[in-house]
Amino acid sequence: MRRRPDGDTLATARTRDAHATRGGGRMAGSTREPLFTRAFIALAVAELAYFTATGLALFALPLYVTGPVGGDEASAGLSVGVFAVSAFVLRPFAGRASDRFGRRPMLVGGALLAAASLLLLTVTQDLAVIIGLRLLAGVAEAAFFVSVFAALADLAPASRLGEALSYNSLGLYLGIAFGPLVGQVLLDAAGFRAVWLGGAGLAVLAAGLAFLVGETRTAPPEIGGRLRIVHRPAIPISIGFLSSLAAVGGFIAFATLWAQRIDLASPSIALFAYGAVVVVCRIAFARVPDRLPSLPLAAASLVLIGVGLVIAAAWQDWVGLLVGVVFMAVGITFTTPAFFSAVFATASPSERGVASGTASAALDLGLGIGPIALGLVAAPFGIPWAFAVAAGIAFAGAAWTAGLVRRAPART
């Protein structure tokens, strides 16, 4: 079975199967079908704009909630992570809507909802309203994220889908890397209002680029047939994946606050370093997940994440924070491709969609649970203790994943 370098959605997998059916799988000849079409590039830039706005919000929200809003660390964690609740609930429905109504309406609608959720932050300092706007951001994330992967599968030749996903995943991490830097510049220049306006502008840009992508859906959805939304063999593997996301998601939520408290010259540097290291490693080591057994690689990656969090918790200055970030970023480089490779090893071609839907739910659960749970630790005990608990989650996930190795056949 061919491995996948990153996660996808139910709509993506179904479209990929259609490509495989029409194209007969990987081409045996030497001629490579074109990948970098205008629509493919427009989709990649739209994703970069969208996730740069997301990275900007990850940087600024904790500062906004604990500053002008007057909240504490628990409130900051809730404001960052609550978007995942609505995203998790709506992800399966977004996939079905993308198949039924097309990719472009979902891409444009999701980006415009994200713009609205950021723009409305300019007129409120009420925590309850902010949480409501973050739930709206979760609706946007479900629509945009699912449709991006579906459109990508529509556009990419069947013989180059894995390569397309490798390049496509860079938009997320470049956004996490550069969004905080953009947010820092805007915050220093004109305050939080400028930050929210800048983020909304980036989301509107993503919507505009989605029009350039056009409608990529090649066929209407199949009518009838049994609908399953959970692939049970993927659940144990997805638990390990969830632990990596909960640990790193919790760290991301408090990285800016911690960088500020240890007097890092530019608090956005921590998130920039994280995103930059992931991008470099994703490019440099893109073929590693294809050469190593999936579950052992995933377990080792979780250990690296745990070590990085221990370093950040124990070595309480800017050097320790950045060293810890590097360890975490190297670990997260391999968790997604390793866990998704293991998930797809449990699925036949006709089950890949539901398998990817099951595994991708861990994204929302992990990125939602992590910040909220660790915020409850950080408020009474301090951020270093929250990092330590996150390390415990990563180590527990590594032990769980290692236990799965003994119950699953080795992959070569």
Side-chain angles (χ1 to χ4, degrees):
M1 180 179 294
R2 179 167 170 256
R3 295 191 181 195
R4 293 292 307 279
D6 210 330
D8 60 5
T9 66
L10 179 57
T12 305
R14 286 176 173 167
T15 308
R16 179 184 64 247
D17 290 343
H19 272 292
T21 300
R22 291 192 300 269
R26 183 174 290 278
M27 295 176 62
S30 58
T31 301
R32 304 183 76 197
E33 299 173 88
L35 175 62
F36 295 101
T37 62
R38 186 185 74 168
F40 180 88
I41 294 171
L43 182 67
V45 179
E47 189 174 2
L48 175 61
Y50 182 92
F51 285 113
T52 300
T54 299
L56 179 150
L58 288 174
F59 161 77
L61 264 172
L63 299 177
Y64 190 59
V65 170
T66 58
V69 176
D72 58 9
E73 287 85 351
S75 301
L78 179 62
S79 67
V80 170
V82 73
F83 86 98
V85 175
S86 51
F88 172 72
V89 171
L90 294 175
R91 185 184 291 271
F93 302 100
R96 293 178 65 187
S98 180
D99 280 339
R100 182 173 181 180
F101 302 111
R103 321 303 187 206
R104 184 167 65 179
M106 300 296 289
L107 288 169
V108 173
L112 291 179
L113 281 178
S117 70
L118 288 164
L119 183 63
L120 292 173
L121 286 172
T122 62
V123 297
T124 185
Q125 292 185 3
D126 184 279
L127 181 61
V129 176
I130 291 171
I131 291 172
L133 292 176
R134 291 296 289 164
L135 288 170
L136 179 63
V139 177
E141 194 271 346
F144 189 85
F145 189 88
V146 167
S147 299
V148 158
F149 277 92
L152 180 69
D154 295 337
L155 293 170
S159 61
R160 302 183 70 179
L161 184 55
E163 180 185 0
L165 283 161
S166 295
Y167 291 124
N168 182 263
S169 68
L170 297 178
L172 170 61
Y173 291 101
L174 285 171
I176 292 175
F178 288 102
L181 294 181
V182 174
Q184 180 82 69
V185 171
L186 293 173
L187 181 61
D188 292 343
F192 285 106
R193 182 180 177 84
V195 174
W196 308 136
L197 289 173
L202 285 167
V204 170
L205 174 61
L209 289 165
F211 278 104
L212 294 180
V213 174
E215 181 51 63
T216 65
R217 190 185 64 175
T218 56
E222 296 181 4
I223 304 299
R226 182 183 178 187
L227 177 64
R228 293 188 299 116
I229 60 173
V230 176
H231 181 64
R232 292 190 178 185
I235 292 175
I237 301 168
S238 300
I239 292 173
F241 185 40
L242 188 152
S243 69
S244 70
L245 296 163
V248 174
F251 168 79
I252 289 174
F254 296 102
T256 300
L257 286 176
W258 184 239
Q260 187 180 61
R261 292 179 187 181
I262 60 175
D263 297 324
L264 186 61
S266 177
S268 62
I269 290 296
L271 289 178
F272 171 77
Y274 170 78
V277 172
V278 172
V279 167
V280 170
C281 290
R282 278 282 173 95
I283 295 172
F285 306 116
R287 298 182 180 180
V288 168
D290 287 326
R291 296 177 176 178
L292 297 176
S294 300
L295 290 175
L297 176 61
S301 300
L302 278 162
V303 170
L304 279 178
I305 292 171
V307 170
L309 285 161
V310 168
I311 291 172
W315 190 351
Q316 298 181 14
D317 61 24
W318 68 270
V319 177
L321 176 60
L322 295 182
V323 171
V325 162
V326 170
F327 273 86
M328 280 182 278
V330 173
I332 208 69
T333 296
F334 300 111
T335 52
T336 300
F339 277 115
F340 270 91
S341 293
V343 165
F344 283 118
T346 70
S348 67
S350 63
E351 296 173 325
R352 289 173 184 165
V354 68
S356 64
T358 300
S360 65
L363 288 165
D364 298 319
L365 285 175
L367 295 177
I369 291 172
I372 294 171
L374 296 182
L376 296 175
V377 175
F381 302 111
I383 293 176
W385 276 104
F387 290 167
V389 171
I393 294 172
F395 289 137
W400 170 269
T401 305
L404 297 178
V405 175
R406 294 191 294 270
R407 300 195 297 269
R411 293 206 56 187
T412 59

